[in-house]
Amino acid sequence: MKTILVAEDNDSNYILMTYILKRFYQYKRAKNGQEAVDMANEGGIDLILMDIKMPVMDGLQATSKIKESHPELPIVALTANAFDSDRQLALKAGCDDFLSKPVSSEKCLAMIAKYLGE
């Protein structure tokens, strides 16, 4: 079973993601961008759902750091900021794609399947 890293500091948003993922994937949580970088470097992650606004290190900085050492690891930005400028910033930082919150389970699972070839 593939493992998804959910980088999300908000407990209710994380719980929603676990409901979406639990039937199809294993998942881990990073509560800030630095934890996401550390966990990506440990390995065993197949895809990252990256919140943009997080403490310690934001999702854009974390994405840039992760992509330096793991360019093949898919990262999907997950943010409440749905403006096109936010999407452009996420893609410029290295995110492979972008989902805006609140996310539907269908859109989220389709996005994951797109990158994990399922």
Side-chain angles (χ1 to χ4, degrees):
M1 190 177 280
K2 305 266 184 179
T3 300
I4 308 295
L5 176 60
V6 181
E8 174 62 69
D9 62 314
N10 180 289
D11 290 338
S12 58
N13 288 340
Y14 174 72
I15 290 166
L16 172 63
M17 294 312 301
T18 66
Y19 281 112
I20 292 172
L21 298 172
K22 68 182 178 181
R23 288 184 31 227
F24 306 101
Y25 302 100
Q26 293 179 324
Y27 51 86
K28 296 180 178 184
R29 181 183 190 183
K31 290 187 177 184
N32 62 59
Q34 185 60 57
E35 281 185 16
V37 171
D38 295 343
M39 293 172 82
N41 287 335
E42 289 169 12
I45 303 295
D46 297 294
L47 182 141
I48 300 174
L49 295 173
M50 182 73 75
D51 184 25
I52 299 302
K53 291 196 181 344
M54 290 187 291
V56 183
M57 178 188 297
D58 71 31
L60 298 177
Q61 292 172 299
T63 295
S64 294
K65 283 189 175 274
I66 291 166
K67 285 294 190 171
E68 284 174 16
S69 45
H70 308 283
E72 75 296 337
L73 182 59
I75 301 177
V76 176
L78 199 59
T79 182
N81 301 340
F83 297 109
D84 194 53
S85 57
D86 299 310
R87 175 188 206 85
Q88 294 308 317
L89 285 172
L91 297 174
K92 187 176 177 189
C95 289
D96 296 282
D97 226 316
F98 185 93
L99 284 171
S100 30
K101 297 176 188 173
V103 65
S104 73
S105 57
E106 295 81 19
K107 273 189 177 175
C108 185
L109 292 172
M111 182 72 72
I112 293 169
K114 173 181 169 181
Y115 287 98
L116 297 184
E118 299 173 332

